[in-house]
Each structure stands twice: as C-alpha cells, then as structure tokens.
Amino acid sequence: MSEKDLNHPRSLTAFRSMKILIIGYFGLSLLTLVAIVLLRNHTGMVNQAVWVRGTIVAATSLLMLSFAVRAARGSRKGFLRVRITSAAMVVAIVVIIALPGTFPVWLKIEQAVCGLVLIGVVVVVNGKHLRSLFAAN
C-alpha cells in the first residue's frame, strides 16, 4: 500500500476514528477490570463469570488496539483482524446482555456501552473507503 493511500485525508480520518474508538473501548475495559478487583468481595456483583468476561474483554481490547495500529500502517492482516474481532465482540456482547442471570446488571450496562463503541468501529472499518483501500492491494 502506498504512502499516498495511507496519508489520504479520508484514510487518516478513518484510521483516527477507528483508533479513538478502540482506545475508548480499551479504557472502558481497564476501568471495568479495576471495578472487578475493587468489588471482588461482593459475590452478588462479581462472580467467576464476571472475572472471566472482564479479563477476556481487556485482553481483546488490547489486541484490537494493536491490530488497529498495524492497519493504520497499511497491514491488510491488521485491518482484517480489526474487522473480524470488532464484529465478533459485538455479537458476544449481545449474547452476554441476553443471558439471564449469569452476569450482574452493572456488567451488562458496561457491556452495552462497549457494544455501542464497537458498533462505531464496525461502521468505520466496513466503510467504503477503508474496504476499497485494502481491497486495491
């Protein structure tokens, strides 16, 4: 991929939006992990499923950030990984919210916020400009 394509104003805007949204997702994930640690002695608010989900979300958010950075540098694999993980996480979040009783309400609300952020990522990475940019090479 050429520097001209990567530095096109539409490319820069799309990459910036994608990274900002993923950084927000990463920040929310870390704050959730901190909340889980702080609430660890309250079994009604933090159970084993919350620990597992919180850890997975924090790890995937960090991975998504690394994929986004690579995509912004022209990596087709990084771009594909952002597309796949952002969509997969939205689906997983819908399942988490829909599951009765497994997760406390506070985590479902946090996941809904994460889902909204990730829907923004899905929209950006599946936009015509970025798809055509990576399809052309």
Side-chain angles (χ1 to χ4, degrees), residues 6-137:
L6 288 175
N7 291 317
H8 186 278
R10 288 178 60 196
S11 299
L12 293 173
T13 299
F15 289 133
R16 186 177 318 110
S17 297
M18 175 182 64
K19 287 191 280 188
I20 287 170
L21 287 165
I22 294 172
I23 288 168
Y25 175 59
F26 177 66
L28 281 167
S29 301
L30 288 182
L31 287 174
T32 300
L33 214 46
V34 168
I36 290 168
V37 170
L38 293 175
L39 297 170
R40 68 186 175 274
N41 295 323
H42 301 279
T43 57
M45 298 183 79
V46 176
N47 57 26
Q48 187 65 32
V50 171
W51 276 103
V52 171
R53 181 67 189 162
T55 304
I56 289 170
V57 170
T60 59
S61 67
L62 186 58
L63 282 173
M64 283 181 64
L65 186 55
S66 72
F67 300 155
V69 169
R70 287 186 217 151
R73 292 180 183 154
S75 168
R76 183 183 300 221
K77 285 183 181 180
F79 176 70
L80 181 60
R81 288 174 179 153
V82 170
R83 285 184 75 191
I84 291 169
T85 55
S86 60
M89 289 304 292
V90 169
V91 171
I93 287 169
V94 169
V95 170
I96 295 300
I97 292 170
L99 284 175
T102 306
F103 297 96
V105 173
W106 74 268
L107 186 77
K108 289 183 178 196
I109 293 168
E110 180 272 342
Q111 286 290 280
V113 173
C114 284
L116 292 174
V117 172
L118 288 177
I119 288 170
V121 175
V122 170
V123 168
V124 171
V125 298
N126 288 292
K128 185 178 179 181
H129 180 74
L130 285 185
R131 282 186 300 114
S132 65
L133 182 68
F134 284 95
N137 295 311

